[in-house]
Amino acid sequence: MVRDGREPLSFVVASQDELHAPYGGVVPELACRRHVHILDAVVQEALVRAGLGLTDLTAVAVTAGPGLFGALTVGVSYAKALSYGVGCPLLAVNHLEGHIAAIVLEKEHPTGPYIALIASGGHTDLYAVQEPGRYHLLGRTLDDAAGEALDKAAKALGLGYPGGPAIEDQARQGDPTAIAFPRPLSGAKTHDFSFSGLKTALVYHLAKLSHEALHAALPGIAASYQQAVVDVLVVKTMAAAAASGMQEVVVTGGVAANGTLRAQMQRAGEARGYRVFFPRPAYCTDNGAMIAAAGAWQLQRGGAAPLDLTPDADLPLGG
Ligand code: KG4
Ligand code: ZN
């Protein structure tokens, strides 16, 4: 529950990490079923914690895409019924706009146009944001997303799911210069990313190691791999800021919960005179508050959705 699009009144996240952990990634059918079972209880819990009743709601915001079609359909169907029952507007939110809007839940947020890096399990996108609702896509990953690269590496290393936090944990004890993993496209003119070669480099490296050798080398491998991902994200975000002339940068999405990325992006931004903003880690990973914040932007734009809204698994953001 969010008041005025800025102030979280309650914050409830039903994580499915444990459900998908045995498979090393999200299983769409399981995700969909769990949404059906849990959604109403999550909404009721959020209302109770906010001290509100259904009739206090002034709008219902829901993710309309991009994402897994089944999971999106569960949310959209529920939100339609809720908004119709309560008699308040339905707001169809782009998941990526939600990640960007997460920053207004913080006291510190940009005052002018900014570069937004969205690094998650499904996306690695750089946007120039003129103002809420005006997004220009500068570059995106050509293959794997940054979070996907971390998830796949964690799986190869036997570290479990989700991979980002597991790698970050291992990396704390490791030397980030232990192995020279590639930094794909980091010197290139394009704002696009590529992470699949990094995972391939890891697989080749692992093939040379015995089980015992891997165990001993694990922290160094994790730290070096994480450093390669972080380096690419920092270099390309700084390059986008320089090319656009924008002075403010927002870094968001699940991977932005990473402490090393936050510290190094902050340092790189400061060195160039940019202001760098991050949502707190809980607002970086998928959550409802960011969707409510983006919904409020949409309400201001007068963009309530019709009741025949259908999800779009490939919903694009901006031009
Ligand atoms: O935004 P998100 O919660 O869901 C998507 O929209 O995909 O991002 C999930 C991704 C996963 O790949 C996960 O491994 C990564 O974010 N992630 C992290 C951290 N926490 C989550 N990556 C690096 N460090 C973390 N602390
Ligand atoms: Zn997300």
Side-chain angles (χ1 to χ4, degrees):
M1 301 293 146
V2 172
R3 181 189 283 151
D4 298 333
R6 295 279 300 274
E7 185 195 342
L9 299 176
S10 61
F11 187 74
V12 183
V13 176
S15 169
Q16 295 195 2
D17 287 350
E18 273 181 36
L19 177 70
H20 301 289
Y23 309 96
V26 173
V27 182
E29 178 65 16
L30 292 182
C32 190
R33 290 182 192 197
R34 179 59 65 89
H35 279 317
V36 171
H37 286 126
I38 203 84
L39 186 47
D40 192 56
V42 169
V43 171
Q44 297 301 334
E45 178 71 21
L47 283 167
V48 168
R49 288 195 200 173
L52 297 175
L54 280 177
T55 51
D56 295 315
L57 298 179
T58 53
V60 176
V62 64
T63 304
L68 297 170
F69 191 78
L72 293 169
T73 300
V74 175
V76 166
S77 304
Y78 184 95
K80 280 189 208 177
L82 183 58
S83 74
Y84 184 73
V86 172
C88 66
L90 173 69
L91 304 165
V93 170
N94 185 303
H95 182 73
L96 300 172
E97 186 173 29
H99 275 304
I100 294 173
I103 199 63
V104 304
L105 300 168
E106 303 295 352
K107 246 202 246 102
E108 296 278 314
H109 52 85
T111 50
Y114 54 92
I115 292 295
L117 169 70
I118 305 171
S120 71
H123 290 84
T124 308
D125 293 352
L126 273 168
Y127 280 96
V129 183
Q130 291 300 336
E131 60 180 350
R134 285 179 63 202
Y135 310 102
H136 176 61
L137 181 64
L138 300 170
R140 64 182 352 163
T141 184
L142 303 173
D143 40 59
D144 291 351
E148 191 178 0
L150 292 165
D151 292 340
K152 285 180 174 171
K155 196 172 180 180
L157 293 167
L159 290 177
Y161 175 84
I167 298 235
E168 181 170 28
D169 224 34
Q170 276 294 327
R172 275 188 247 283
Q173 280 80 253
D175 172 7
T177 64
I179 300 147
F181 286 118
R183 269 69 171 157
L185 293 184
S186 61
K189 282 257 181 297
T190 168
H191 294 306
D192 288 334
F193 298 86
S194 169
F195 288 104
S196 65
L198 195 49
K199 179 204 62 196
T200 309
L202 173 68
V203 170
Y204 279 125
H205 185 80
L206 295 182
K208 291 183 280 183
L209 297 181
S210 68
H211 190 71
E212 293 70 37
L214 168 61
H215 187 73
L218 202 49
I221 296 173
S224 302
Y225 192 90
Q226 175 179 269
Q227 190 59 52
V229 173
V230 166
D231 276 351
V232 172
L233 294 175
V234 170
V235 164
K236 303 217 64 122
T237 304
M238 291 299 121
S244 69
M246 291 179 177
Q247 301 294 309
E248 297 182 312
V249 173
V250 169
V251 183
T252 184
V255 179
N258 186 277
T260 302
L261 175 64
R262 294 169 84 94
Q264 295 187 15
M265 193 73 85
Q266 188 72 54
R267 211 174 310 140
E270 268 169 23
R272 293 164 179 79
Y274 304 143
R275 298 179 72 208
V276 183
F277 304 90
F278 309 88
R280 72 195 63 180
Y283 296 162
C284 286
T285 45
D286 286 353
N287 67 89
M290 72 184 200
I291 303 302
W297 282 352
Q298 206 152 125
L299 200 57
Q300 282 164 14
R301 303 200 285 264
L307 276 179
D308 63 357
L309 171 72
T310 48
D312 180 350
D314 305 308
L315 189 65
L317 180 69

